[in-house]
Amino acid sequence: MQYINIANEGVKSLSPYQAGKPIEELERELGIKNIVKLASNENPFGFPESAKQAIQKQLNDLTRYPDANGFELKQVIAQKFAVQPEQITLGNGSNDLLELIAHTFASEKDEIIYSQYAFIVYPLVTKAINAVSREIPAKNWGHDLDAFLQAINPNTKLIYIANPNNPTGNFLTEKEVDHFLAQVPEQVIVVLDEAYTEFTEEKERLNSFKLLQKYPNLIISRSLSKAYGLAGLRIGYAVSNPEIADLLNRVRQPFNCNVLALVSAVAVLQDDAFVEKVAENNRIEMARYEAFCQQHKLDYIQSKGNFITIDFKRPANEIYQALLYEGVIVRPIAGYGMPNHLRVSIGLPEENDKFFNALLKVLS
Ligand SMILES: *Cc1c(COP(=O)(O)O)cnc(C)c1O
């Protein structure tokens, strides 16, 4: 018996998610030490001290189920962003939320719109529920929102937008997003995935929670995996109108967020100094990456995230492999239809130096 034959039609077309290579795996394979991983857009400063302390305090009490309503974390989010706790849905990472939203609003034959080169989880959840993918060709590697509008039809249920986008780093301004939302029919749900918003400059960052007041069909999704450094714990949140939040919370598994993730998120959302340090390092080091690429005539996509995607104009997999031997893990993105590019997460200065040196050696 081939069990794939009895899987739902969408699942039959799924391929396994290709995660960044773990440091331990490369250590085992090549027996090298001091490996630098710049492959999964993780926080180069490591786990925040504020969250560590919260976890220490909680370690004596892991016997009981977590608070299914995440009361305390919702209070902190509500206060920080001037929204109501009733607008919030907590997720086991924002990936969980992206999937939850699809389950809540779309089913077989419904259409879901997202961009070519957008976050790979959008096609993944679309296929998993056997909905219809409407992948819109990218414009300059980014979202072509006019083409999105033209693709909307009576079967359209959901639109995913990543801003900044992963893996390209493209960014849409508030004006562009606002202009777009004003033309989307209110029965179509728009998910604005802002996993990297903390890395954008304050003056250009979208005031997305304000957009919620104008657009009842909008859901903002945020992550604590990137700027906040909690990727290993899995926690994210969505903010929407209360009616949508209520629906998402009905579909959500009651204990999707674990106790340690909840207390860590409470701590780190109040730890502005940590996030500022992370964003500042990213700004400085991103400028170094851009200068490095310009100096060495490497094409790259302008990025507002904590990563940069470089175009080698030839299949990049051998460069990726050669970098592994130098102890540097970056991310091949052939799975996104970008076989000539590698995505590099912005690290600490010394990690980036190691990448620059390794890349020059590999290319020479
Ligand atoms: C990393 C990332 C996320 C966050 O995923 P988590 O599940 O919160 O770790 C969401 N969207 C995009 C575009 C991402 O790159």
Side-chain angles (χ1 to χ4, degrees):
M1 168 96 208
Q2 294 260 296
Y3 287 97
I4 193 168
N5 293 330
I6 61 166
N8 91 35
E9 287 306 313
V11 170
K12 284 178 188 167
S13 66
L14 274 181
S15 20
Y17 178 79
Q18 303 205 324
K21 195 179 191 64
I23 290 176
E24 297 74 18
E25 188 179 303
L26 184 60
E27 272 176 1
R28 274 197 307 276
E29 287 173 1
L30 299 183
I32 46 179
K33 292 272 174 240
N34 302 320
I35 291 165
V36 167
K37 184 185 175 200
L38 302 171
S40 300
N41 302 343
E42 293 146 341
N43 197 309
F45 287 91
F47 200 70
E49 206 49 49
S50 53
K52 239 178 245 176
Q53 285 172 17
I55 284 185
Q56 291 289 355
K57 268 215 249 158
Q58 191 62 42
L59 279 180
N60 292 325
D61 189 7
L62 293 176
T63 305
R64 298 188 192 284
Y65 281 103
D67 172 7
N69 291 317
F71 176 84
E72 204 187 346
L73 177 53
K74 285 186 187 172
Q75 290 294 322
V76 169
I77 294 168
Q79 234 168 43
K80 190 175 173 74
F81 301 111
V83 298
Q84 299 301 315
E86 296 73 34
Q87 294 180 265
I88 301 169
T89 310
L90 301 178
N92 186 21
S94 58
N95 274 273
D96 184 30
L97 295 163
L98 298 171
E99 186 181 8
L100 187 57
I101 292 164
H103 275 297
T104 303
F105 289 104
S107 43
E108 255 179 314
K109 309 282 191 292
D110 288 334
E111 297 191 10
I112 299 182
I113 295 176
Y114 51 83
S115 180
Q116 179 188 24
Y117 310 131
F119 191 36
I120 212 148
V121 167
Y122 312 153
L124 196 158
V125 301
T126 303
K127 288 174 183 171
I129 61 169
N130 201 18
V132 178
S133 292
R134 293 296 302 274
E135 184 178 298
I136 308 300
K139 202 165 106 188
N140 301 323
W141 303 106
H143 293 72
D144 182 350
L145 292 184
D146 288 332
F148 272 46
L149 288 173
Q150 280 163 20
I152 294 174
N153 66 40
N155 295 327
T156 308
K157 278 290 174 71
L158 207 55
I159 298 174
Y160 286 109
I161 295 173
N163 196 40
N165 182 44
N166 171 22
T168 62
N170 284 77
F171 181 70
L172 296 159
T173 63
E174 180 162 333
K175 208 170 143 201
E176 289 170 310
V177 172
D178 194 347
H179 180 74
F180 170 73
L181 288 169
Q183 298 170 81
V184 175
E186 65 179 1
Q187 76 274 13
V188 176
I189 302 288
V190 179
V191 182
L192 190 59
D193 175 354
E194 296 193 313
Y196 300 96
T197 190
E198 296 84 4
F199 295 104
T200 59
E201 304 254 9
E202 194 111 26
K203 59 179 188 304
E204 66 189 357
R205 190 174 305 159
L206 273 66
N207 199 341
S208 41
F209 296 121
K210 224 170 98 193
L211 290 174
L212 285 174
Q213 294 162 12
K214 258 161 93 177
Y215 304 110
N217 54 336
L218 177 62
I219 305 176
I220 313 287
S221 150
R222 295 274 181 95
S223 172
L224 285 109
S225 298
K226 311 285 162 51
Y228 291 98
L230 305 187
L233 280 174
R234 315 303 304 127
I235 185 98
Y237 57 93
V239 185
S240 62
N241 92 48
E243 193 189 338
I244 287 181
D246 177 45
L247 291 171
L248 297 178
N249 277 299
R250 291 183 204 188
V251 179
R252 181 180 62 86
Q253 293 192 26
F255 305 112
N256 64 334
C257 302
N258 73 72
V259 171
L260 296 181
L262 289 170
V263 297
S264 297
V266 165
V268 82
L269 278 170
Q270 300 174 87
D271 188 355
D272 291 342
F274 179 78
V275 181
E276 271 163 34
K277 174 178 75 176
V278 170
E280 176 69 1
N281 175 73
N282 198 69
R283 258 191 298 283
I284 295 168
E285 295 301 305
M286 179 67 86
R288 288 184 65 219
Y289 269 85
E290 291 176 346
F292 173 86
C293 288
Q294 287 158 13
Q295 186 190 346
H296 297 287
K297 307 249 177 313
L298 293 165
D299 252 9
Y300 62 93
I301 305 171
Q302 193 86 43
S303 168
K304 301 274 186 192
N306 65 344
F307 54 87
I308 187 166
T309 298
I310 302 174
D311 184 358
F312 292 95
K313 312 281 182 197
R314 60 182 166 102
N317 194 50
E318 42 190 279
I319 298 167
Y320 164 71
Q321 296 291 344
L323 286 170
L324 292 180
Y325 282 90
E326 300 300 319
V328 179
I329 310 173
V330 298
R331 189 67 161 269
I333 47 173
Y336 280 91
M338 300 172 71
N340 292 354
H341 289 77
L342 292 175
R343 191 193 69 194
V344 187
S345 306
I346 309 297
L348 297 173
E350 56 273 24
E351 294 175 318
N352 301 328
D353 286 337
K354 180 156 174 165
F355 167 76
F356 296 148
N357 292 330
L359 183 62
L360 291 181
K361 183 169 166 197
V362 163
L363 291 179
S364 68

